[in-house]
């Protein structure tokens, strides 16, 4: 499988993609810039509910796309300048978001007249800032000269990250999922920017591919890395979007519940305070009532769960006269209100403003903070005291904030300075992240409510993290699939190359075999010619040599007594050299016959061979007190019995002749099985063969210097004949060890087949052989 990109007209498809996507990014950026100056809103905000693309975002996007095209056209310096400005804008804006600071760059180029949903007018979205920073930094690294080693993969990874940012925002707009293109309360990425960053990311990714393609026509080996990173980044962004969505839902739920609690507090306390107004107005309308009737009226207005601790009438002289309920508040009767500064202050305000006034919480030493609501009474314009409701703060809010109103919320109430009431549900503070602060206003009093989820932890949902795990698994799976496809492609290319190479090798091998057959035929013909020449030459030369030898002998016999000493010496030398020449011709003739006139291989019992050779050489062995010792059983091998007898005859004969006269010759013969052959070892105690002569001792006419004195009649053909016979029988021979104490010859012979088997090994007991 090949994953190659076809080349088009000297360029490439990848370069075309770079041009197209880079141009899209530039066009979107320039279109938005022109629209800001022309105040053409349809391009700034595509449709109602969509975000407006910020001016700085458009500038950064256009500069990044321009840097890509400049890099393609080898304008490296200009590309570096464009990327530097884009990177600066992205990094500084991200720092503003990260550290909640204002560096003044948001309105530096243009002061927007359309304000997006953000805390700072003109500030680009954090996703856009991150995307610009990543893209521009990657382009700056790409313009480095000389190019660094990981230039292409760096561009591809940066492109995949920028593509992920744009793709997530684009999907958010396509599906109406706002949290995909907006991070919390920060500026949201616009639809135009999502398309622009999607195009910019593809351009940078394709640029990295293009740089790799300059050195290889195949898909880059690192392709699985940006694929995995890009999908993982998209998974992380979608997880963050889900978390934002869930957080927004939780916060909305918390705000809804807090608003309900706020309304309940204000309505309940306002209703209780309104009862004070009704009691006071009835008093003013009917005049001062009897105490019993007043107490009945109070109990009628405050039926149900009591928010108050006591309802009192304080006379015009600031002395508490009537108290409901009297039994629980008997000690309040007759108390002078002027002794409590907080109470006196509330009464003074209520008298001057002629409306119900609520005091700040204060402590009169009666078991907790109290709040009073006081209303001055005027009958026919005459001041007739106050109606005062005394509330215990903890009792008041316990009744108002009952389990039906806020069963799961923790609440604190403060008066602007101190916490006057607190109710915490559960022991975890995790819900404080969702704390909502709302004012509770009743008449002139204002309290601050702090409300957050109690026992139920709103961050317990695993859905975003489950989506993240699934996304990361998909990223890993896609990366693995991409890697496997690349491996398959490389293997396919390797197999194709191997096939092409194999075809060439087959052609070369066929040609070589043809040449070898031709050479082998020529060599065989040459060998046959040489063998025939050697046979004919040795045979034809032997006849005149025999005649010469006979004539010399006859001459020596006829006129021998009349010869001078020198003539007799010359004649003896002629006879000796003729004899030596005859021996050489005999050996040469024998060597030429080996393999040419031999019978087919048959089963040969080596024990019988050694027995026969020992019998032939019995006289020579007895003269030197020599022994032939057979160690163990000798096998039946495949060979020519006549030739094998010749081999061992030559070996034993040489062993006897080349053993110094001061020692008795001892020849040991043993056998060892080796797979499909038998290895025969023949060891003697002769003079040995020097190392420098071991490689050439098996060639014709090669004799050792000291061998001439020990065997003057030798021709140097014995070991050559042995080697030729063993090789003709399908084996080989060599010297495994040799020193002044003897030599060990090794010979191998093939095992016999069932057809050749006609005898079995046996142990020999020979005369002169042990």
């Amino acid at each position: 499988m090949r994953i190659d990109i076809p080349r088009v007209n000297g360029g490439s498809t990848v370069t075309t993609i770079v041009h197209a996507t880079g141009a899209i990014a530039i066009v979107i950026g320039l279109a938005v810039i022109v629209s800001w100056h022309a105040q053409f809103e349809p391009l700034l905000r595509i449709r109602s509910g969509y975000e407006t693309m910020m001016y700085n975002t458009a500038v950064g996007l256009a500069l990044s796309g321009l840097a890509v095209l400049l890099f393609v056209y080898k304008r490296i310096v200009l590309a570096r300048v464009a990327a530097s400005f884009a990177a600066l804008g992205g990094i500084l804006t991200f720092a503003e978001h990260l550290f909640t600071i204002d560096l003044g760059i948001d309105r530096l180029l243009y002061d927007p007249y359309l304000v997006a949903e953000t805390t700072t007018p003109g500030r680009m979205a954090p996703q856009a800032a991150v995307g610009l920073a990543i893209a521009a930094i990657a382009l700056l690294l790409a313009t480095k000269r000389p190019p660094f080693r990981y230039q292409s993969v760096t561009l591809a990874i940066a492109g995949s990250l920028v593509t992920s940012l744009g793709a997530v925002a684009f999907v958010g707009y396509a599906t109406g999922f706002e949290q995909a293109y907006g991070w919390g309360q920060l500026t949201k990425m616009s639809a135009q920017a999502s398309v622009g960053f999607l195009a910019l990311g593809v351009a940078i990714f394709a640029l990295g591919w293009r740089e790799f393609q300059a050195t290889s026509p195949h898909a880059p080996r690192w392709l699985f890395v940006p694929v995995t990173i890009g999908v993982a980044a998209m998974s992380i962004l979608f997880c963050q979007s889900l978390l934002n969505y869930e957080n927004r839902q939780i916060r909305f739920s918390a705000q809804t519940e807090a608003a309900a609690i706020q309304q309940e507090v204000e309505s309940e306390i306002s209703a209780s305070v309104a009862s004070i107004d009704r009691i006071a107005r009835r008093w003013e309308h009917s005049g001062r009532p009897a105490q019993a009737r007043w107490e009945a009226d109070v109990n009628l207005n405050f039926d149900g769960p009591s928010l108050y601790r006591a309802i009192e009438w304080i006379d015009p002289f600031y002395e508490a006269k009537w108290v409901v309920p009297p039994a629980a508040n008997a000690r309040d009767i007759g108390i002078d209100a002027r002794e409590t500064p907080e109470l006196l202050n509330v009464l003074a305000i209520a008298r001057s403003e002629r409306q119900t006034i609520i005091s700040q919480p204060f402590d009169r030493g009666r078991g907790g903070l109290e709040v009073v609501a006081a209303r001055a009474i005027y009958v026919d314009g005459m001041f007739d005291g106050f109606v005062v409701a005394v509330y215990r703060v903890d009792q008041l809010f316990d009744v108002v904030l009952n389990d039906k109103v806020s069963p799961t919320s923790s609440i604190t109430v403060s008066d602007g300075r101190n916490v006057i009431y607190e109710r915490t549900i559960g022991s975890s503070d995790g819900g404080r992240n969702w704390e909502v602060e709302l004012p509770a206003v009743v008449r002139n009093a204002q309290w601050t409510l702090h409300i957050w989820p109690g026992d139920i932890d709103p961050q317990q949902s695993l859905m975003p993290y489950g989506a993240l795990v699934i996304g990361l698994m998909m990223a890993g799976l896609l990366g693995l699939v991409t890697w496997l496809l690349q491996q398959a492609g490389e293997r396919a290319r390797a197999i194709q190359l191997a096939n092409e190479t194999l075809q060439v090798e087959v052609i070369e091998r066929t040609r070589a075999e043809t040449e070898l057959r031709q050479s082998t035929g020529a060599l065989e013909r040459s060998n046959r010619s040489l063998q025939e020449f050697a046979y004919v030459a040795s045979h034809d030369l032997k006849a005149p040599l025999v005649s010469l030898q006979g004539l010399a002998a006859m001459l020596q016999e006829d006129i021998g007594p009349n010869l001078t000493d020198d003539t007799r010496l010359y004649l003896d030398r002629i006879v000796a050299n003729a004899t030596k020449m005859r021996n050489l011709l005999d050996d040469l003739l024998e060597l030429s016959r080996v393999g040419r006139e031999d019978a087919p291989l048959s089963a040969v019992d080596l024990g019988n061979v050694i027995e026969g050779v020992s019998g032939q050489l019995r006289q020579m062995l007895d003269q030197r007190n020599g022994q032939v010792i057979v160690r163990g059983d000798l096998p039946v091998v495949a060979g020519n019995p006549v030739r094998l007898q010749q081999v061992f005859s030559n070996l034993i004969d040489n062993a006897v002749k080349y053993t110094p006269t001061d020692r008795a010759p001892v020849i040991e013969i043993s056998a060892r099985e080796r797979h499909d052959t038998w290895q025969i070892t023949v060891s003697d105690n002769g003079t040995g063969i020097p190392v420098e002569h071991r490689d050439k001792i098996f060639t014709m006419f090669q004799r050792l210097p000291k061998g001439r004195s020990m065997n003057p009649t030798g021709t140097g053909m014995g070991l050559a004949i042995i080697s030729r016979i063993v090789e003709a029988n399908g084996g080989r021979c060599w010297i495994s060890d040799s020193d002044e104490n003897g030599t060990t010859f090794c010979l191998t012979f093939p095992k016999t087949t069932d057809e050749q088997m006609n005898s079995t090994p046996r142990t020999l007991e020979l005369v002169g052989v042990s």
Side-chain angles (χ1 to χ4, degrees):
M1 179 179 296
R2 300 176 69 93
I3 314 178
D4 300 339
I5 298 298
R7 299 183 179 276
V8 181
N9 297 329
S12 72
T13 302
V14 176
T15 303
T16 304
I17 294 174
V18 174
H19 286 154
T21 51
I24 290 173
I26 295 174
V27 168
I28 291 176
L30 292 178
V32 172
I33 292 173
V34 172
S35 297
W36 274 109
H37 288 284
Q39 298 186 2
F40 186 66
E41 294 187 13
L43 277 181
L44 300 177
R45 180 179 293 158
I46 296 178
R47 57 180 296 183
S48 178
Y50 280 18
E51 295 301 316
T52 303
M53 185 170 180
M54 295 293 101
Y55 192 88
N56 286 356
T57 306
V59 172
L61 187 63
L63 286 175
S64 298
L66 181 62
V68 170
L69 295 186
L70 288 172
F71 183 86
V72 171
Y73 289 108
K74 305 300 182 183
R75 302 295 190 267
I76 303 301
V77 175
L78 294 177
R80 187 178 297 133
V81 171
S84 298
F85 281 109
L88 184 64
I91 293 172
L92 292 179
T93 304
F94 182 72
E96 288 182 322
H97 284 295
L98 184 63
F99 300 108
T100 62
I101 58 178
D102 187 359
L103 300 177
I105 64 171
D106 304 314
R107 297 171 300 280
L108 180 64
L109 300 177
Y110 187 85
D111 192 5
Y113 60 91
L114 293 177
V115 180
E117 185 180 343
T118 178
T119 55
T120 305
R123 181 169 297 178
M124 74 173 73
Q127 306 100 302
V130 172
L132 282 180
I134 293 175
I137 290 174
L139 290 170
L140 284 174
L141 292 175
T143 59
K144 184 179 178 181
R145 289 294 179 268
F148 68 105
R149 180 179 179 182
Y150 303 105
Q151 180 191 70
S152 57
V153 68
T154 300
L155 286 170
I157 292 174
S160 65
L161 291 174
V162 176
T163 302
S164 300
L165 289 168
V168 169
F170 183 80
V171 171
Y173 276 105
T175 59
F177 188 55
E178 180 182 343
Q179 282 69 29
Y181 54 86
W183 292 354
Q185 301 300 315
L186 303 176
T187 308
K188 297 177 177 59
M189 180 181 282
S190 65
Q192 308 94 304
S194 68
V195 176
F197 279 99
L198 191 59
L200 178 62
V202 172
I204 295 175
F205 183 91
L207 185 62
W209 191 311
R210 176 183 179 273
E211 291 303 299
F212 179 84
Q213 198 181 31
T215 58
S216 173
H218 307 301
R221 294 183 177 180
W222 42 254
L223 182 60
F224 71 97
V225 176
V227 169
T228 303
I229 292 176
V231 177
M234 293 181 66
S235 302
I236 294 172
L237 291 172
F238 274 117
C239 174
Q240 180 65 36
S241 300
L242 290 174
L243 287 173
N244 290 338
Y245 176 76
E246 188 175 78
N247 293 345
R248 185 168 182 175
Q249 293 298 107
I250 294 171
R251 186 170 299 279
F252 176 77
S253 177
Q255 289 174 345
T256 302
E257 185 171 358
I261 293 173
Q262 174 198 36
Q263 183 178 3
E264 188 69 19
V265 169
E266 291 179 347
S267 61
E268 286 292 322
I269 298 178
S270 295
S272 178
V273 173
S275 297
I276 302 298
D277 290 336
R278 287 195 297 273
I279 294 172
R281 284 196 295 270
R282 191 174 293 113
W283 185 308
E284 292 174 340
H285 182 269
S286 304
R288 183 183 297 181
Q291 181 176 357
R293 182 179 177 183
W294 180 81
E295 290 177 355
D297 188 23
V298 169
N299 289 326
L300 180 64
N301 281 278
F302 289 93
D303 189 20
S306 298
L307 300 180
Y308 61 90
R309 185 179 67 81
I311 302 295
E312 302 177 356
W313 173 59
I314 298 177
D315 66 11
F317 303 102
Y318 293 87
E319 183 178 345
K321 294 294 185 179
W322 301 340
V323 180
V324 177
N329 301 283
R331 61 177 177 174
D332 286 352
I333 300 175
I335 294 299
D336 190 349
R338 289 173 293 188
E339 295 177 357
T340 304
E342 294 84 358
L343 180 57
L344 179 61
N345 182 55
V346 172
L347 296 178
I349 297 174
R351 183 174 179 179
S352 64
E353 296 187 4
R354 296 191 178 187
Q355 60 181 354
T356 303
I357 300 298
I358 302 174
S359 72
Q360 291 289 331
F362 61 93
D363 188 358
R364 289 194 293 175
R366 300 191 180 188
L369 293 176
E370 294 179 341
V371 173
V372 300
R375 168 69 183 268
I377 303 172
Y378 287 87
V379 179
D380 297 331
M382 298 296 295
F383 174 62
D384 199 16
F386 302 91
V387 177
V388 177
V390 181
Y391 300 92
R392 279 280 300 272
V393 173
D394 52 356
Q395 179 183 356
L396 171 67
F397 287 106
D398 281 341
V399 173
V400 174
L401 303 175
N402 54 65
D403 291 341
K404 294 182 180 180
V405 176
S406 57
T408 61
S409 297
S410 297
I411 303 171
T412 63
V413 183
S414 63
D415 61 357
R417 295 173 298 177
N418 303 305
V419 175
I420 61 175
Y421 175 80
E422 182 175 8
R423 186 190 69 182
T424 303
I425 297 177
S427 57
S428 175
D429 290 335
R432 294 301 291 262
N433 295 327
W434 313 102
E435 181 179 309
V436 178
E437 179 179 325
L438 292 174
V441 180
V442 180
R443 302 294 175 95
N444 64 295
Q446 179 172 329
W447 300 297
T448 301
L449 306 179
H450 296 268
I451 306 167
W452 67 93
D455 284 335
I456 300 177
D457 188 354
Q459 291 184 328
Q460 298 274 325
S461 174
L462 297 178
M463 183 180 68
Y465 302 104
L468 175 62
V469 171
I470 294 174
L472 293 179
M473 291 175 62
M474 290 181 60
L477 183 61
L478 285 175
L480 178 61
V481 169
T482 303
W483 182 78
L484 290 175
L485 287 175
Q486 288 183 286
Q487 294 299 312
E490 290 182 2
R491 290 192 183 96
R493 289 193 295 271
I495 291 173
Q496 182 179 359
L497 179 61
N499 288 336
E500 295 173 355
T501 304
L502 184 60
Q503 290 176 0
V504 174
E505 290 180 354
V506 168
I507 295 173
E508 293 293 332
R509 185 182 293 272
T510 303
R511 184 186 303 115
E513 289 177 352
T514 303
E515 293 176 354
L516 180 61
R517 284 194 297 270
Q518 295 173 352
S519 300
T520 301
L523 182 61
E524 290 177 350
R525 291 191 297 271
S526 176
N527 286 337
R528 285 195 298 269
S529 299
L530 287 174
Q531 289 176 352
E532 292 174 357
F533 171 78
Y535 178 80
V536 171
S538 59
H539 183 274
D540 292 346
L541 289 175
K542 187 176 181 181
L545 186 63
V546 170
S547 178
L548 177 63
Q549 186 180 17
L551 291 174
M554 293 173 60
L555 183 62
Q556 195 176 30
E557 181 179 352
D558 291 343
I559 62 174
N562 300 321
L563 296 176
T564 64
D565 292 338
D566 290 338
T567 303
R568 185 179 294 108
L569 176 64
Y570 296 151
L571 189 59
D572 289 339
R573 287 183 177 179
I574 289 173
V575 173
N577 287 329
T579 302
K580 184 176 182 181
M581 185 64 180
R582 181 177 178 179
N583 292 336
L584 284 173
L585 289 174
D586 288 339
D587 289 341
L588 183 61
L589 182 61
E590 185 65 26
L591 183 66
S592 67
R593 288 172 178 170
V594 173
R596 184 169 63 89
E597 299 178 355
D598 290 346
L601 299 181
S602 61
V604 180
D605 188 342
L606 288 184
N608 292 336
V609 172
I610 300 301
E611 182 179 2
V613 171
S614 299
Q616 292 175 1
L617 301 178
R618 181 69 53 85
Q619 183 178 0
M620 184 177 64
L621 288 170
D622 291 342
Q623 289 177 354
R624 295 289 308 273
N625 294 322
Q627 290 183 330
V628 177
I629 302 173
V630 178
R631 303 292 186 186
D633 295 336
L634 295 181
V636 175
V637 300
N640 185 325
V642 176
R643 294 301 183 188
L644 291 183
Q645 188 172 6
Q646 186 177 2
V647 167
F648 288 100
S649 176
N650 283 349
L651 286 174
I652 295 173
D653 182 77
N654 283 347
V656 173
K657 290 180 179 179
Y658 292 104
T659 298
T661 57
D662 58 348
R663 67 181 80 161
V666 178
I667 299 96
E668 295 185 1
I669 302 175
S670 61
R672 179 181 299 176
E673 189 174 5
R674 299 285 189 185
H675 301 295
D676 56 349
T677 61
W678 288 98
Q679 179 178 315
I680 310 300
T681 302
V682 180
S683 302
D684 62 44
N685 60 341
T687 58
I689 300 174
V691 176
E692 62 271 16
H693 293 283
R694 292 180 189 177
D695 293 337
K696 55 185 177 180
I697 197 67
F698 292 101
T699 58
M700 294 185 297
F701 310 121
Q702 294 295 323
R703 301 195 66 195
L704 299 176
K706 59 183 179 180
R708 301 181 185 277
S709 60
M710 300 183 72
N711 183 18
T713 62
T715 61
M717 294 288 289
L719 291 179
I721 293 174
I722 290 173
S723 177
R724 177 70 63 85
I725 293 173
V726 172
E727 291 176 358
N729 279 269
R732 66 187 186 94
C733 60
W734 69 94
I735 298 174
S736 65
D737 188 24
S738 182
D739 55 25
E740 65 274 6
N741 296 319
T743 301
T744 299
F745 290 89
C746 292
L747 305 91
T748 61
F749 297 99
K751 293 182 179 179
T752 58
T753 61
D754 293 339
E755 293 78 7
Q756 296 169 337
M757 181 63 69
N758 54 17
S759 63
T760 57
R762 63 184 178 84
T763 304
L764 300 179
E765 296 182 1
L766 304 174
V767 177
V769 181
S770 59

